[in-house]
Coordinates of all heavy atoms in Angstrom, one line a residue:
M681 N 0.8 -1.2 0.0 CA 0.0 0.0 0.0 C 0.9 1.3 0.0 O 0.5 2.3 -0.6 CB -0.9 0.0 1.2 CG -1.9 1.2 1.3 SD -3.0 1.4 -0.1 CE -4.1 0.1 0.2
G682 N 2.0 1.2 0.6 CA 2.9 2.4 0.7 C 3.4 2.8 -0.7 O 3.5 4.0 -1.0
F683 N 3.6 1.8 -1.6 CA 4.1 2.2 -3.0 C 3.0 2.9 -3.7 O 3.2 3.9 -4.4 CB 4.5 0.9 -3.7 CG 4.8 1.2 -5.2 CD1 6.0 1.8 -5.5 CD2 3.9 0.9 -6.2 CE1 6.3 2.1 -6.8 CE2 4.2 1.1 -7.5 CZ 5.4 1.7 -7.8
I684 N 1.7 2.4 -3.6 CA 0.6 3.0 -4.3 C 0.3 4.4 -3.8 O 0.2 5.3 -4.6 CB -0.7 2.1 -4.2 CG1 -0.4 0.8 -4.9 CG2 -1.9 2.8 -4.7 CD1 -1.5 -0.2 -4.6
T685 N 0.4 4.6 -2.5 CA 0.1 6.0 -2.0 C 1.2 6.9 -2.4 O 1.0 8.1 -2.7 CB -0.1 5.9 -0.5 OG1 1.0 5.3 0.2 CG2 -1.4 5.2 -0.1
C686 N 2.5 6.4 -2.3 CA 3.6 7.3 -2.7 C 3.5 7.6 -4.2 O 3.7 8.8 -4.6 CB 4.9 6.6 -2.4 SG 6.4 7.6 -2.8
F687 N 3.1 6.7 -5.0 CA 3.0 6.9 -6.5 C 1.9 7.9 -6.7 O 2.0 8.9 -7.5 CB 2.7 5.6 -7.2 CG 2.4 5.8 -8.6 CD1 3.5 6.1 -9.5 CD2 1.2 5.6 -9.1 CE1 3.2 6.3 -10.9 CE2 0.9 5.8 -10.5 CZ 1.9 6.1 -11.4
L688 N 0.7 7.8 -6.1 CA -0.4 8.7 -6.3 C -0.1 10.1 -5.8 O -0.5 11.1 -6.3 CB -1.6 8.2 -5.6 CG -2.3 6.9 -6.3 CD1 -3.4 6.4 -5.5 CD2 -2.7 7.3 -7.7
L689 N 0.7 10.2 -4.7 CA 1.1 11.5 -4.2 C 2.0 12.2 -5.2 O 1.9 13.4 -5.5 CB 1.9 11.3 -2.8 CG 2.4 12.6 -2.2 CD1 1.3 13.6 -1.9 CD2 3.2 12.3 -1.0
I690 N 3.0 11.4 -5.8 CA 3.9 12.0 -6.8 C 3.1 12.4 -8.0 O 3.4 13.5 -8.6 CB 5.0 11.0 -7.1 CG1 5.9 10.8 -5.9 CG2 5.8 11.4 -8.4 CD1 6.9 9.7 -6.0
V691 N 2.1 11.6 -8.4 CA 1.3 12.0 -9.6 C 0.5 13.3 -9.3 O 0.4 14.2 -10.2 CB 0.3 10.8 -10.0 CG1 -0.7 11.3 -11.0 CG2 1.1 9.7 -10.6
N692 N -0.1 13.4 -8.1 CA -0.8 14.6 -7.8 C 0.1 15.8 -7.7 O -0.3 16.9 -8.2 CB -1.6 14.4 -6.4 CG -2.9 13.7 -6.6 OD1 -3.8 14.2 -7.1 ND2 -2.9 12.4 -6.2
L693 N 1.3 15.6 -7.1 CA 2.2 16.8 -7.1 C 2.7 17.2 -8.5 O 2.8 18.4 -8.8 CB 3.4 16.4 -6.2 CG 4.4 17.5 -5.8 CD1 3.6 18.6 -5.1 CD2 5.5 17.0 -5.0
A694 N 2.9 16.2 -9.4 CA 3.2 16.5 -10.7 C 2.1 17.2 -11.4 O 2.4 18.1 -12.2 CB 3.6 15.2 -11.5
L695 N 0.9 16.9 -11.1 CA -0.3 17.6 -11.7 C -0.3 19.0 -11.3 O -0.6 19.9 -12.1 CB -1.6 16.8 -11.4 CG -2.8 17.3 -12.0 CD1 -2.7 17.2 -13.6 CD2 -4.0 16.6 -11.5
V696 N -0.1 19.3 -10.0 CA -0.1 20.6 -9.5 C 1.0 21.4 -10.1 O 0.8 22.6 -10.5 CB 0.0 20.6 -7.9 CG1 0.3 22.0 -7.4 CG2 -1.2 20.0 -7.3
I697 N 2.2 20.9 -10.2 CA 3.3 21.5 -10.9 C 3.0 21.8 -12.3 O 3.4 22.8 -12.9 CB 4.6 20.8 -10.7 CG1 5.0 20.8 -9.2 CG2 5.8 21.3 -11.5 CD1 6.2 19.9 -8.8
G698 N 2.4 20.8 -13.0 CA 2.0 21.0 -14.4 C 1.0 22.2 -14.6 O 1.1 23.0 -15.5
L699 N 0.1 22.3 -13.7 CA -0.8 23.5 -13.7 C -0.1 24.8 -13.5 O -0.4 25.8 -14.1 CB -1.9 23.3 -12.7 CG -3.0 22.2 -12.9 CD1 -3.9 22.1 -11.7 CD2 -3.8 22.6 -14.2
D700 N 0.9 24.7 -12.7 CA 1.8 25.9 -12.4 C 2.5 26.3 -13.7 O 2.6 27.5 -14.1 CB 2.7 25.7 -11.3 CG 3.6 26.9 -11.0 OD1 3.1 28.1 -11.2 OD2 4.7 26.8 -10.6
V701 N 3.0 25.3 -14.4 CA 3.7 25.6 -15.7 C 2.8 26.2 -16.7 O 3.1 27.2 -17.4 CB 4.3 24.3 -16.3 CG1 4.8 24.5 -17.7 CG2 5.4 23.8 -15.4
L702 N 1.5 25.8 -16.7 CA 0.5 26.4 -17.6 C 0.3 27.8 -17.2 O 0.1 28.7 -18.1 CB -0.8 25.6 -17.6 CG -0.7 24.2 -18.3 CD1 -2.1 23.5 -18.1 CD2 -0.4 24.4 -19.7
Y703 N 0.3 28.1 -15.9 CA 0.1 29.5 -15.4 C 1.2 30.4 -15.9 O 1.1 31.5 -16.2 CB 0.0 29.5 -13.9 CG -1.4 29.3 -13.4 CD1 -2.5 28.9 -14.2 CD2 -1.7 29.5 -12.1 CE1 -3.8 28.8 -13.8 CE2 -3.0 29.4 -11.6 CZ -4.0 29.0 -12.4 OH -5.3 28.8 -12.0
W704 N 2.5 29.8 -15.9 CA 3.6 30.6 -16.3 C 3.5 31.0 -17.8 O 4.0 32.0 -18.2 CB 4.9 29.9 -16.0 CG 5.4 30.0 -14.6 CD1 5.3 29.0 -13.7 CD2 6.0 31.1 -14.0 NE1 5.7 29.5 -12.5 CE2 6.2 30.7 -12.6 CE3 6.3 32.4 -14.4 CZ2 6.8 31.6 -11.7 CZ3 6.9 33.2 -13.5 CH2 7.1 32.9 -12.1
W705 N 2.9 30.2 -18.6 CA 2.7 30.6 -20.0 C 1.7 31.7 -20.2 O 1.9 32.5 -21.1 CB 2.1 29.4 -20.8 CG 3.2 28.4 -21.2 CD1 4.5 28.6 -21.2 CD2 3.0 27.1 -21.6 NE1 5.2 27.4 -21.6 CE2 4.2 26.5 -21.9 CE3 1.9 26.3 -21.8 CZ2 4.4 25.2 -22.3 CZ3 2.0 25.0 -22.3 CH2 3.3 24.5 -22.5
V706 N 0.8 31.9 -19.2 CA -0.1 33.0 -19.3 C 0.6 34.3 -18.9 O 0.4 35.3 -19.6 CB -1.4 32.8 -18.4 CG1 -2.2 34.0 -18.3 CG2 -2.1 31.6 -18.9
G707 N 1.4 34.3 -17.9 CA 2.1 35.4 -17.5 C 2.8 35.2 -16.1 O 2.5 34.2 -15.4
W708 N 3.8 36.0 -15.9 CA 4.6 35.7 -14.6 C 3.8 36.0 -13.4 O 4.0 35.3 -12.3 CB 5.9 36.5 -14.6 CG 5.7 38.0 -14.4 CD1 5.5 38.9 -15.4 CD2 5.6 38.7 -13.2 NE1 5.4 40.2 -14.8 CE2 5.4 40.1 -13.5 CE3 5.7 38.3 -11.9 CZ2 5.3 41.0 -12.5 CZ3 5.6 39.3 -10.9 CH2 5.4 40.6 -11.2
Q709 N 2.8 36.8 -13.4 CA 1.9 37.1 -12.3 C 1.1 35.8 -11.9 O 1.0 35.5 -10.8 CB 1.0 38.3 -12.5 CG 1.7 39.6 -12.6 CD 2.1 39.9 -14.1 OE1 2.1 39.1 -14.9 NE2 2.6 41.2 -14.3
F710 N 0.6 35.2 -13.0 CA -0.2 34.0 -12.8 C 0.7 32.8 -12.3 O 0.3 32.0 -11.6 CB -1.0 33.6 -14.0 CG -2.2 34.5 -14.2 CD1 -2.1 35.6 -15.1 CD2 -3.4 34.2 -13.6 CE1 -3.2 36.4 -15.3 CE2 -4.5 35.0 -13.7 CZ -4.4 36.1 -14.6
G711 N 1.9 32.8 -12.8 CA 2.9 31.8 -12.4 C 3.2 31.9 -10.9 O 3.4 30.9 -10.2
A712 N 3.3 33.2 -10.4 CA 3.6 33.4 -9.0 C 2.4 32.8 -8.2 O 2.6 32.3 -7.1 CB 3.8 34.9 -8.7
T713 N 1.2 33.0 -8.6 CA 0.0 32.4 -7.9 C 0.1 30.9 -8.0 O -0.3 30.2 -7.0 CB -1.3 32.9 -8.4 OG1 -1.5 32.5 -9.8 CG2 -1.4 34.4 -8.3
G714 N 0.6 30.4 -9.1 CA 0.8 28.9 -9.2 C 1.8 28.4 -8.2 O 1.6 27.3 -7.6
I715 N 2.8 29.2 -7.9 CA 3.8 28.8 -6.9 C 3.1 28.7 -5.5 O 3.4 27.8 -4.7 CB 5.0 29.7 -6.9 CG1 5.8 29.5 -8.2 CG2 5.9 29.5 -5.7 CD1 7.0 30.4 -8.3
L716 N 2.3 29.7 -5.3 CA 1.5 29.7 -4.0 C 0.7 28.4 -3.9 O 0.5 27.8 -2.9 CB 0.6 30.9 -3.9 CG 1.2 32.2 -3.6 CD1 0.2 33.3 -3.7 CD2 1.9 32.2 -2.3
G717 N 0.1 28.0 -5.1 CA -0.7 26.7 -5.1 C 0.1 25.5 -4.8 O -0.3 24.6 -4.1
V718 N 1.3 25.4 -5.3 CA 2.2 24.3 -5.1 C 2.6 24.3 -3.6 O 2.6 23.2 -3.0 CB 3.5 24.4 -6.0 CG1 4.5 23.3 -5.6 CG2 3.1 24.2 -7.5
I719 N 3.0 25.4 -3.1 CA 3.4 25.5 -1.7 C 2.2 25.1 -0.8 O 2.3 24.4 0.2 CB 3.9 26.9 -1.3 CG1 5.3 27.1 -2.0 CG2 4.1 27.0 0.2 CD1 5.8 28.5 -1.9
G720 N 1.0 25.6 -1.2 CA -0.2 25.2 -0.4 C -0.5 23.7 -0.5 O -1.0 23.2 0.5
F721 N -0.3 23.1 -1.6 CA -0.5 21.7 -1.7 C 0.4 20.9 -0.8 O 0.0 20.0 -0.1 CB -0.3 21.2 -3.2 CG -0.6 19.7 -3.4 CD1 -1.9 19.3 -3.7 CD2 0.4 18.8 -3.3 CE1 -2.2 18.0 -3.9 CE2 0.2 17.5 -3.5 CZ -1.1 17.0 -3.8
I722 N 1.7 21.3 -0.8 CA 2.6 20.6 0.1 C 2.3 20.8 1.5 O 2.3 19.9 2.3 CB 4.1 21.0 -0.3 CG1 4.4 20.6 -1.7 CG2 5.1 20.5 0.7 CD1 5.7 21.2 -2.2
L723 N 2.0 22.0 1.9 CA 1.7 22.3 3.3 C 0.4 21.7 3.7 O 0.2 21.2 4.8 CB 1.7 23.8 3.6 CG 3.0 24.5 3.5 CD1 2.9 26.0 3.7 CD2 4.0 24.0 4.6
G724 N -0.6 21.7 2.8 CA -1.9 21.1 3.1 C -1.8 19.6 3.3 O -2.4 19.0 4.2
Y725 N -0.9 18.9 2.5 CA -0.7 17.5 2.7 C 0.0 17.3 4.1 O -0.3 16.3 4.8 CB 0.1 16.9 1.6 CG 0.2 15.4 1.7 CD1 -0.8 14.6 1.3 CD2 1.4 14.8 2.2 CE1 -0.7 13.2 1.4 CE2 1.5 13.4 2.3 CZ 0.4 12.6 1.9 OH 0.5 11.3 2.0
M726 N 1.0 18.1 4.4 CA 1.7 17.9 5.6 C 0.9 18.1 6.9 O 1.0 17.3 7.8 CB 2.9 18.9 5.7 CG 4.1 18.6 4.8 SD 5.4 19.8 4.8 CE 5.4 20.6 6.4
F727 N 0.0 19.1 6.9 CA -0.8 19.4 8.0 C -2.2 18.8 8.0 O -3.0 19.1 8.9 CB -0.9 20.9 8.2 CG 0.5 21.6 8.5 CD1 1.0 22.5 7.7 CD2 1.2 21.2 9.6 CE1 2.2 23.1 8.0 CE2 2.4 21.7 9.9 CZ 3.0 22.7 9.1
S728 N -2.5 18.0 7.0 CA -3.9 17.5 6.9 C -4.2 16.6 8.1 O -5.4 16.5 8.5 CB -4.0 16.8 5.6 OG -3.2 15.7 5.5
V729 N -3.3 15.8 8.6 CA -3.6 14.9 9.7 C -4.0 15.7 10.9 O -5.0 15.3 11.6 CB -2.3 14.1 10.0 CG1 -2.6 13.2 11.3 CG2 -2.0 13.2 8.9
E730 N -3.4 16.8 11.2 CA -3.7 17.6 12.4 C -5.0 18.4 12.2 O -5.7 18.8 13.1 CB -2.6 18.6 12.8 CG -1.3 17.8 13.3 CD -0.4 17.4 12.2 OE1 -0.6 17.7 11.1 OE2 0.5 16.6 12.6
M731 N -5.3 18.8 10.9 CA -6.4 19.8 10.7 C -7.6 19.1 10.2 O -8.7 19.7 10.4 CB -5.9 20.8 9.7 CG -4.7 21.6 10.3 SD -4.2 22.9 9.1 CE -5.4 24.1 9.3
A732 N -7.6 18.1 9.4 CA -8.8 17.6 8.7 C -9.2 16.2 9.1 O -10.2 15.7 8.7 CB -8.6 17.7 7.2
I733 N -8.3 15.4 9.7 CA -8.6 14.0 9.9 C -8.7 13.8 11.4 O -7.8 14.1 12.2 CB -7.5 13.1 9.4 CG1 -7.4 13.3 7.8 CG2 -7.7 11.7 9.7 CD1 -6.3 12.6 7.2
A734 N -9.8 13.2 11.8 CA -10.1 12.9 13.2 C -9.3 11.6 13.6 O -9.0 10.8 12.8 CB -11.5 12.7 13.5
P735 N -8.9 11.5 14.9 CA -8.1 10.3 15.3 C -9.0 9.1 15.1 O -8.4 8.0 14.8 CB -7.9 10.6 16.8 CG -7.9 12.0 17.0 CD -8.9 12.5 16.0
R736 N -10.3 9.2 15.2 CA -11.1 8.0 14.9 C -11.1 7.5 13.5 O -11.3 6.3 13.3 CB -12.6 8.5 15.3 CG -13.7 7.8 14.6 CD -15.0 8.4 15.0 NE -15.2 9.7 14.5 CZ -15.9 9.9 13.4 NH1 -16.4 9.0 12.7 NH2 -16.0 11.2 12.9
D737 N -10.7 8.4 12.6 CA -10.6 8.0 11.2 C -9.5 6.9 11.0 O -9.6 6.1 10.1 CB -10.4 9.2 10.3 CG -11.6 10.1 10.1 OD1 -12.7 9.6 10.4 OD2 -11.4 11.2 9.8
F738 N -8.5 7.0 11.8 CA -7.4 6.0 11.7 C -7.9 4.6 12.1 O -7.3 3.6 11.7 CB -6.2 6.4 12.4 CG -5.5 7.6 11.9 CD1 -5.6 8.9 12.4 CD2 -4.7 7.5 10.7 CE1 -5.0 10.0 11.9 CE2 -4.1 8.6 10.2 CZ -4.2 9.8 10.8
W739 N -8.9 4.5 12.9 CA -9.4 3.3 13.4 C -10.5 2.7 12.5 O -10.6 1.5 12.3 CB -10.0 3.4 14.8 CG -8.9 3.6 15.8 CD1 -8.5 4.9 16.3 CD2 -8.1 2.7 16.5 NE1 -7.5 4.7 17.2 CE2 -7.2 3.4 17.3 CE3 -8.0 1.3 16.4 CZ2 -6.3 2.7 18.1 CZ3 -7.1 0.7 17.2 CH2 -6.2 1.4 18.0
W740 N -11.4 3.6 12.0 CA -12.5 3.2 11.2 C -12.3 3.0 9.7 O -12.9 2.2 9.1 CB -13.7 4.1 11.4 CG -14.3 4.0 12.8 CD1 -14.0 4.8 13.9 CD2 -15.2 3.0 13.3 NE1 -14.7 4.4 15.0 CE2 -15.4 3.2 14.6 CE3 -15.8 1.9 12.7 CZ2 -16.3 2.4 15.4 CZ3 -16.6 1.1 13.5 CH2 -16.8 1.4 14.8
N741 N -11.5 3.9 9.2 CA -11.2 3.9 7.8 C -9.9 3.1 7.4 O -9.0 3.0 8.2 CB -11.1 5.3 7.2 CG -12.4 6.1 7.4 OD1 -13.5 5.5 7.4 ND2 -12.3 7.4 7.6
T742 N -9.9 2.7 6.2 CA -8.6 2.0 5.7 C -7.5 3.1 5.5 O -7.8 4.3 5.5 CB -8.9 1.3 4.4 OG1 -9.2 2.3 3.4 CG2 -10.0 0.3 4.5
E743 N -6.3 2.6 5.4 CA -5.2 3.5 5.2 C -5.4 4.3 3.9 O -5.0 5.5 3.8 CB -3.9 2.7 5.1 CG -2.6 3.5 4.9 CD -1.4 2.6 4.8 OE1 -1.5 1.4 5.1 OE2 -0.4 3.1 4.4
F744 N -5.9 3.7 2.9 CA -6.1 4.4 1.6 C -7.2 5.5 1.7 O -7.1 6.5 1.1 CB -6.5 3.4 0.5 CG -6.5 3.9 -0.9 CD1 -5.3 4.3 -1.5 CD2 -7.6 4.2 -1.6 CE1 -5.2 4.8 -2.7 CE2 -7.6 4.7 -2.9 CZ -6.4 5.0 -3.4
D745 N -8.2 5.2 2.5 CA -9.2 6.3 2.7 C -8.7 7.5 3.4 O -9.0 8.6 3.1 CB -10.4 5.7 3.5 CG -11.3 4.8 2.7 OD1 -11.3 4.9 1.4 OD2 -12.0 3.9 3.3
V746 N -7.8 7.2 4.4 CA -7.1 8.3 5.1 C -6.2 9.1 4.1 O -6.2 10.3 4.1 CB -6.3 7.8 6.3 CG1 -5.5 8.9 6.9 CG2 -7.3 7.2 7.4
F747 N -5.5 8.3 3.3 CA -4.7 9.0 2.3 C -5.5 9.9 1.3 O -5.1 11.0 1.0 CB -3.9 7.9 1.5 CG -3.2 8.4 0.3 CD1 -2.1 9.2 0.4 CD2 -3.7 8.2 -1.0 CE1 -1.4 9.7 -0.7 CE2 -3.1 8.7 -2.1 CZ -1.9 9.5 -2.0
L748 N -6.7 9.4 0.9 CA -7.5 10.2 0.0 C -8.0 11.4 0.7 O -8.1 12.5 0.1 CB -8.7 9.3 -0.5 CG -8.4 8.2 -1.5 CD1 -9.6 7.4 -1.8 CD2 -7.7 8.8 -2.7
A749 N -8.3 11.3 2.0 CA -8.7 12.5 2.8 C -7.5 13.5 2.8 O -7.8 14.7 2.7 CB -9.1 12.1 4.2
K750 N -6.3 13.0 3.0 CA -5.2 13.9 3.0 C -5.0 14.6 1.7 O -4.7 15.8 1.6 CB -3.9 13.1 3.4 CG -3.9 12.7 4.9 CD -2.8 11.8 5.2 CE -1.5 12.5 5.2 NZ -0.4 11.6 5.7
I751 N -5.1 13.8 0.6 CA -4.9 14.4 -0.8 C -6.0 15.4 -1.0 O -5.8 16.5 -1.6 CB -4.9 13.3 -1.8 CG1 -3.6 12.5 -1.8 CG2 -5.1 13.8 -3.2 CD1 -2.4 13.3 -2.2
G752 N -7.2 15.1 -0.6 CA -8.4 16.0 -0.8 C -8.1 17.3 -0.1 O -8.4 18.4 -0.6
F753 N -7.6 17.3 1.2 CA -7.3 18.5 1.9 C -6.2 19.3 1.2 O -6.2 20.5 1.2 CB -6.9 18.2 3.3 CG -6.8 19.4 4.2 CD1 -7.9 20.0 4.7 CD2 -5.5 19.8 4.6 CE1 -7.8 21.1 5.5 CE2 -5.4 20.9 5.4 CZ -6.5 21.6 5.8
A754 N -5.2 18.6 0.7 CA -4.1 19.3 0.0 C -4.6 20.0 -1.2 O -4.2 21.1 -1.5 CB -3.0 18.3 -0.4
W755 N -5.5 19.4 -2.0 CA -6.0 20.0 -3.2 C -6.9 21.2 -2.8 O -6.9 22.2 -3.5 CB -6.9 19.0 -4.0 CG -6.1 18.3 -5.0 CD1 -5.7 17.0 -5.0 CD2 -5.5 18.8 -6.2 NE1 -4.9 16.7 -6.1 CE2 -4.8 17.8 -6.9 CE3 -5.6 20.1 -6.9 CZ2 -4.2 18.0 -8.1 CZ3 -4.9 20.3 -8.1 CH2 -4.2 19.2 -8.7
K756 N -7.7 21.1 -1.8 CA -8.5 22.2 -1.3 C -7.6 23.4 -0.9 O -7.9 24.6 -1.2 CB -9.4 21.8 -0.2 CG -10.5 20.9 -0.6 CD -11.3 20.4 0.7 CE -12.1 19.2 0.3 NZ -12.7 18.6 1.5
T757 N -6.5 23.1 -0.2 CA -5.6 24.2 0.2 C -5.0 24.8 -1.1 O -4.9 26.1 -1.2 CB -4.5 23.6 1.1 OG1 -5.2 22.9 2.2 CG2 -3.7 24.7 1.6
A758 N -4.5 24.0 -2.0 CA -3.9 24.6 -3.2 C -4.9 25.4 -4.0 O -4.5 26.5 -4.4 CB -3.4 23.4 -4.1
L759 N -6.1 24.9 -4.2 CA -7.1 25.7 -5.0 C -7.5 26.9 -4.3 O -7.8 28.0 -4.9 CB -8.3 24.8 -5.3 CG -8.0 23.6 -6.3 CD1 -9.2 22.7 -6.4 CD2 -7.5 24.1 -7.6
T760 N -7.6 26.9 -3.0 CA -7.9 28.1 -2.2 C -6.8 29.2 -2.4 O -7.2 30.4 -2.6 CB -8.1 27.8 -0.7 OG1 -9.1 26.8 -0.6 CG2 -8.5 29.0 0.1
L761 N -5.6 28.8 -2.3 CA -4.5 29.8 -2.5 C -4.4 30.3 -3.9 O -4.2 31.5 -4.1 CB -3.2 29.2 -2.0 CG -3.0 29.0 -0.5 CD1 -1.6 28.4 -0.2 CD2 -3.1 30.4 0.2
W762 N -4.7 29.4 -4.9 CA -4.7 29.9 -6.3 C -5.8 30.9 -6.4 O -5.7 31.9 -7.1 CB -4.9 28.7 -7.2 CG -3.7 28.0 -7.6 CD1 -2.4 28.6 -7.7 CD2 -3.6 26.7 -8.1 NE1 -1.5 27.6 -8.1 CE2 -2.2 26.4 -8.4 CE3 -4.5 25.7 -8.2 CZ2 -1.8 25.2 -8.8 CZ3 -4.0 24.4 -8.7 CH2 -2.7 24.2 -9.0
G763 N -7.0 30.6 -5.9 CA -8.1 31.5 -6.0 C -7.9 32.8 -5.4 O -8.2 33.9 -5.9
I764 N -7.3 32.8 -4.2 CA -7.0 34.1 -3.5 C -6.0 34.9 -4.3 O -6.1 36.1 -4.5 CB -6.5 33.8 -2.1 CG1 -7.6 33.3 -1.2 CG2 -5.9 35.1 -1.5 CD1 -7.2 32.8 0.1
G765 N -5.0 34.2 -4.9 CA -4.0 34.9 -5.7 C -4.6 35.5 -6.9 O -4.3 36.6 -7.3
L766 N -5.4 34.7 -7.6 CA -6.1 35.2 -8.8 C -7.0 36.4 -8.5 O -7.1 37.4 -9.2 CB -6.9 34.1 -9.5 CG -6.0 33.0 -10.1 CD1 -6.9 31.9 -10.7 CD2 -5.1 33.6 -11.2
L767 N -7.7 36.3 -7.3 CA -8.6 37.4 -6.9 C -7.8 38.7 -6.7 O -8.2 39.8 -7.1 CB -9.4 37.0 -5.7 CG -10.4 38.0 -5.2 CD1 -11.5 38.1 -6.2 CD2 -11.0 37.5 -3.9
V768 N -6.6 38.5 -6.1 CA -5.8 39.7 -5.8 C -5.3 40.3 -7.2 O -5.3 41.5 -7.3 CB -4.6 39.3 -4.9 CG1 -3.5 40.4 -4.9 CG2 -5.0 39.0 -3.5
L769 N -5.0 39.4 -8.1 CA -4.5 39.9 -9.4 C -5.7 40.7 -10.1 O -5.5 41.7 -10.8 CB -4.0 38.8 -10.3 CG -2.7 38.2 -10.0 CD1 -2.3 37.1 -10.9 CD2 -1.6 39.3 -10.0
I770 N -6.9 40.1 -10.0 CA -8.0 40.8 -10.7 C -8.3 42.1 -10.0 O -8.6 43.1 -10.6 CB -9.3 39.9 -10.6 CG1 -9.0 38.7 -11.6 CG2 -10.5 40.6 -11.0 CD1 -10.1 37.6 -11.5
I771 N -8.2 42.2 -8.7 CA -8.5 43.4 -7.9 C -7.4 44.5 -8.3 O -7.7 45.7 -8.5 CB -8.5 43.2 -6.4 CG1 -9.7 42.4 -6.0 CG2 -8.4 44.5 -5.6 CD1 -9.8 42.0 -4.6
L772 N -6.2 44.0 -8.5 CA -5.1 45.0 -8.9 C -5.2 45.4 -10.4 O -4.5 46.2 -10.8 CB -3.7 44.3 -8.7 CG -3.4 44.1 -7.2 CD1 -2.0 43.4 -7.1 CD2 -3.4 45.4 -6.5
G773 N -6.1 44.7 -11.1 CA -6.3 45.1 -12.5 C -5.6 44.4 -13.5 O -5.6 44.7 -14.7
Y774 N -4.9 43.3 -13.2 CA -4.1 42.5 -14.1 C -5.0 41.4 -14.7 O -5.4 40.5 -14.0 CB -2.8 42.0 -13.5 CG -2.0 41.2 -14.5 CD1 -1.3 41.8 -15.5 CD2 -2.1 39.8 -14.6 CE1 -0.6 41.1 -16.4 CE2 -1.4 39.1 -15.5 CZ -0.6 39.7 -16.4 OH 0.0 39.0 -17.4
N775 N -5.2 41.4 -16.0 CA -5.9 40.3 -16.6 C -5.4 40.3 -18.1 O -5.7 41.1 -18.9 CB -7.4 40.5 -16.6 CG -8.1 39.3 -17.1 OD1 -7.5 38.3 -17.6 ND2 -9.4 39.3 -16.9
P776 N -4.6 39.3 -18.4 CA -4.0 39.2 -19.8 C -5.0 38.9 -20.9 O -4.7 39.0 -22.0 CB -3.0 38.1 -19.7 CG -3.5 37.2 -18.6 CD -4.2 38.1 -17.6
L777 N -6.2 38.5 -20.5 CA -7.2 38.1 -21.5 C -8.0 39.3 -22.0 O -8.7 39.2 -23.0 CB -8.2 37.1 -20.9 CG -7.6 35.8 -20.4 CD1 -8.6 34.9 -19.7 CD2 -6.9 35.1 -21.5
W778 N -7.9 40.5 -21.3 CA -8.6 41.7 -21.8 C -7.8 42.5 -22.7 O -6.7 42.8 -22.5 CB -9.1 42.5 -20.6 CG -10.1 41.8 -19.8 CD1 -10.9 40.8 -20.1 CD2 -10.5 42.2 -18.5 NE1 -11.7 40.4 -19.1 CE2 -11.6 41.3 -18.1 CE3 -10.2 43.1 -17.5 CZ2 -12.2 41.3 -16.9 CZ3 -10.8 43.2 -16.3 CH2 -11.8 42.3 -16.0

């Protein structure tokens, strides 16, 4: 089970970094918000046990279910930071699509 969870974590991290690369193609400002998302993903995964998973979950759920909860919390953190960064860019008036 450890190999599968490690592999899925690497795939998810590669996906987040890939989204950041796409943001850099739009502009450096959007790339900077992508870096916030990558950092948020890593920190969200690190602190998910303390913040989002109850101790009872380790007894009732399988190891893979706990892993999925940790990945879900990491994605929510990354998307929240991306959204806040994009909102700040829009408020500051930067939008390369206009």
Side-chain angles (χ1 to χ4, degrees):
M681 182 58 75
F683 174 76
I684 294 172
T685 56
C686 182
F687 175 72
L688 289 176
L689 177 63
I690 291 170
V691 167
N692 277 287
L693 190 57
L695 185 61
V696 171
I697 292 171
L699 288 173
D700 182 33
V701 169
L702 291 176
Y703 272 10
W704 280 102
W705 279 344
V706 174
W708 70 269
Q709 293 89 349
F710 284 97
T713 62
I715 290 175
L716 288 176
V718 172
I719 292 170
F721 183 86
I722 294 169
L723 291 177
Y725 186 80
M726 283 176 30
F727 294 119
S728 62
V729 173
E730 289 86 10
M731 298 180 76
I733 300 174
R736 151 183 73 95
D737 289 339
F738 290 104
W739 292 94
W740 289 99
N741 297 330
T742 63
E743 181 182 348
F744 192 70
D745 288 336
V746 172
F747 170 74
L748 289 179
K750 290 171 73 173
I751 288 292
F753 187 77
W755 271 105
K756 290 174 193 171
T757 307
L759 292 175
T760 301
L761 287 178
W762 274 334
I764 291 171
L766 292 175
L767 184 64
V768 167
L769 287 178
I770 289 171
I771 289 172
L772 292 176
Y774 179 78
N775 189 353
L777 302 177
W778 291 345

